[in-house]
Amino acid sequence: MKANELRQRGDEDLEKQLHELLKEQFNLRMQQGTGQLSRPSQMRAARRDIARIKTIMTEKKAGSGQ
C-alpha cells in the first residue's frame, strides 16, 4: 500500500482501513503468542501500514485546519 494511493482515499475509507489493519495486527499478535505465525514479516508490514495511515490522517487534519 503506497502513501500516494492512501492520500486519494476519503476520510471514512481511511478510518475503515485503519480499523481492519488493527484487527489484523491483533490476530497476528495472537498467532505469534501461540507460535502459529508462519511469516513474522507480516507483523512489521501491518505496523508500518497502520503508521502510514495514521500519518496521512494527521496530514489531512492539519491541512484542513489551516
Side-chain angles (χ1 to χ4, degrees):
M1 168 178 345
K2 300 271 184 178
N4 290 333
E5 296 170 6
L6 292 173
R7 284 189 178 95
Q8 295 172 356
R9 295 186 180 197
D11 292 337
E12 59 277 344
D13 193 26
L14 287 175
E15 289 281 342
K16 182 179 176 185
Q17 182 94 24
L18 178 63
H19 188 67
E20 290 173 5
L21 282 170
L22 289 171
K23 281 184 181 180
E24 179 184 346
Q25 184 185 31
F26 176 77
N27 290 333
L28 290 171
R29 277 199 320 258
M30 292 299 111
Q31 288 178 10
Q32 186 179 30
T34 59
Q36 296 175 351
L37 186 60
S38 60
R39 290 184 10 215
S41 62
Q42 289 175 316
M43 287 288 293
R44 181 179 181 183
R47 268 196 330 266
R48 288 183 177 204
D49 286 342
I50 290 169
R52 194 172 292 122
I53 288 175
K54 285 185 175 183
T55 300
I56 290 171
M57 289 172 67
T58 303
E59 286 175 357
K60 286 186 174 196
K61 285 181 184 177
S64 65
Q66 291 180 351

